[in-house]
Amino acid sequence: MKPSNRILSGVQPSGDLHLGNYLGALKNFVSLQKEYECFFCVVDLHAITVWQDPKQLANQTREVTAAFIAAGIDPKKNILFAQSQVPQHAQLAWIFNCVTRMGWLNRMTQFKDKAGKDKENVSVGLFSYPTLMAADILIYLATHVPVGEDQKQHLELTRDIAQKFNNDFETNLFPIPKPLIFGEATRVMSLRDGTTKMSKSDASHYSRIMLNDSPDQIVQKIKKAKTDPFPLPANLTEAKQRPEAFNLLSILAALKDQSTSEVVQLYAGKEFSIFKKELADLIVDKIEPIEKEIKKLLNDQAYLDSIMTDGKNKAMAEADSVIEKVYSVIGFLKA
Ligand code: AQP
């Protein structure tokens, strides 16, 4: 029987996680684990679309697993695993490369942003990244995918791939998965520029709060966060026209589980210095326990590896039954 409420979501082990990953992904995963059957994946195959130091990658993979658990994901109830340990993701991705049209991938804005002017020199993997993402989701017949706003276009592509595969092979094997984009901070912006996304690969450390920043670093980064010379906006309409102010207000709203509009009202007309102090204190309150727990978990590598082995075995059992069906539908000999 097909699952009706299954989630797949992934995080790349391409560096330490930041507040955008926490508010746009991890925090939401924690609330969804109550209602959904969840597969949470450390997407290391995605990470190598850009260079990763082989000496660091295994530790970074453990760090993301530790961050999942430290943020509140129950490793007994949910399936936590590393993508490269379940080879069916790559098998299905190849098949999807043959279903996906070049024109579809050419429209992906994340590729354009990441490749920039160096399009001829980036990896083919960076270009075909969304077909692997579709495979990650559909190899588990996932029905819902919680993501930040930045991944919305890739998820629409996943839906197109599922639809085309089903049509081409006259099957209803794949569900058409729905995005779950919620919370007040679906797109956390850089602290240095309210118009660009907070991201691991931004050259400036002051652009992001890392989950392993010390309280002092957090206070310093918020103090230096770019703002404009005016007091805090009087209402939501004004806030939306001031990107840096809006970003900080929505971060506070997300952390307090309040609406941005309520938070705007609370601070309307106040000075940034007062607001920033309260925001920094709140971030420290939320991040410090997570940071401590990540450190503790990383000291117990055997435990983290046992979680991932258990997750891999469960994930592989599911993935294997789906790839078998895919092979049969396509006309391949049994895998
Ligand atoms: N700034 C953000 N605001 C809200 N959500 C975000 N996510 C990432 N950045 C933000 C969400 O976090 C999940 C994991 O993302 P990822 O690390 O796998 O990949 P990414 O989106 O490419 O993250 P980065 O930080 O931008 O990495 P780099 O710089 O290496 O490319 C996803 O659900 C994503 O939506």
Side-chain angles (χ1 to χ4, degrees):
M1 211 175 62
K2 279 192 191 177
S4 56
N5 61 347
R6 181 177 284 178
I7 275 177
L8 176 291
S9 203
V11 175
Q12 293 187 66
S14 48
D16 293 330
L17 301 187
H18 51 71
L19 192 63
N21 297 130
Y22 175 67
L23 293 176
L26 298 183
K27 185 172 183 288
N28 295 341
F29 298 170
V30 173
S31 61
L32 291 166
Q33 65 183 335
K34 294 184 201 102
E35 284 171 65
Y36 290 85
E37 181 190 5
C38 302
F39 288 68
F40 295 122
C41 183
V42 186
V43 288
D44 48 0
L45 296 175
H46 283 285
I48 63 157
T49 54
V50 296
W51 172 252
Q52 300 298 326
D53 182 349
K55 292 192 197 82
Q56 304 288 333
L57 189 58
N59 281 338
Q60 287 172 192
T61 303
R62 290 191 185 97
E63 269 181 53
V64 175
T65 310
F68 279 144
I69 302 170
I73 290 167
D74 179 349
K76 292 208 176 76
K77 186 174 180 294
N78 303 284
I79 300 180
L80 300 185
F81 64 104
Q83 182 190 28
S84 62
Q85 293 189 312
V86 182
Q88 289 85 352
H89 289 240
Q91 276 173 283
L92 187 59
W94 175 257
I95 292 163
F96 285 168
N97 276 340
C98 301
V99 171
T100 308
R101 305 293 94 181
M102 285 293 287
W104 298 0
L105 287 181
N106 276 330
R107 284 196 284 277
M108 295 297 110
T109 54
Q110 182 170 296
F111 176 74
K112 289 181 197 157
D113 292 345
K114 289 200 169 174
K117 293 196 179 78
D118 204 22
K119 238 163 103 179
E120 294 298 312
N121 274 322
V122 295
S123 72
V124 174
L126 193 67
F127 182 69
S128 63
Y129 179 115
T131 63
L132 176 58
M133 179 166 156
D136 300 336
I137 296 163
L138 295 170
I139 195 70
Y140 301 107
L141 307 179
T143 53
H144 296 82
V145 185
V147 282
E149 192 74 42
D150 59 321
Q151 293 297 332
K152 198 171 161 203
Q153 195 187 29
H154 288 166
L155 199 68
E156 278 158 12
L157 187 88
T158 298
R159 292 164 59 85
D160 290 342
I161 293 172
Q163 194 85 63
K164 181 161 165 49
F165 183 97
N166 286 349
N167 288 345
D168 287 356
F169 296 100
E170 296 179 358
T171 173
N172 64 357
L173 177 58
F174 291 122
I176 311 299
K178 294 189 181 72
L180 293 173
I181 300 177
F182 63 95
E184 290 300 309
T186 53
R187 191 172 172 84
V188 178
M189 307 309 268
S190 157
L191 300 180
R192 307 303 301 157
D193 174 0
T195 63
T196 60
K197 193 183 83 144
M198 183 178 285
S199 146
K200 297 187 204 94
S201 49
D202 192 317
S204 165
H205 289 287
Y206 276 93
S207 69
R208 57 184 173 261
I209 305 281
M210 310 303 303
L211 295 191
N212 58 6
D213 275 345
S214 68
D216 279 353
Q217 284 171 313
I218 294 173
V219 169
Q220 280 310 314
K221 286 180 180 180
I222 294 296
K223 232 187 216 170
K224 283 190 189 286
K226 187 178 166 199
T227 48
D228 49 42
F230 310 106
L232 278 141
N235 53 51
L236 194 60
T237 314
E238 188 192 332
K240 284 185 178 164
Q241 285 154 6
R242 294 168 56 188
E244 282 81 20
F246 185 73
N247 186 37
L248 296 179
L249 286 159
S250 46
I251 291 174
L252 189 120
L255 289 168
K256 281 186 133 183
D257 287 317
Q258 283 185 332
S259 72
T260 307
S261 147
E262 281 174 299
V263 169
V264 169
Q265 275 176 28
L266 207 63
Y267 289 95
K270 293 197 176 148
E271 293 305 317
F272 270 105
S273 53
I274 301 166
F275 169 78
K276 279 184 164 182
K277 182 167 177 337
E278 293 186 18
L279 176 60
D281 288 347
L282 185 60
I283 297 175
V284 170
D285 275 358
K286 297 281 174 183
I287 297 299
E288 210 187 3
I290 297 178
E291 185 257 341
K292 286 199 172 124
E293 188 61 20
I294 293 177
K295 269 201 188 127
K296 200 171 109 195
L297 288 163
L298 286 173
N299 279 331
D300 194 349
Q301 193 176 308
Y303 170 71
L304 286 176
D305 288 354
S306 75
I307 296 289
M308 278 192 288
T309 303
D310 185 43
K312 172 193 79 174
N313 291 335
K314 289 180 181 151
M316 200 154 1
E318 292 291 325
D320 212 34
S321 84
V322 174
I323 207 79
E324 204 173 289
K325 291 187 187 112
V326 171
Y327 269 42
S328 156
V329 161
I330 293 181
F332 287 159
L333 297 178
K334 220 167 176 302

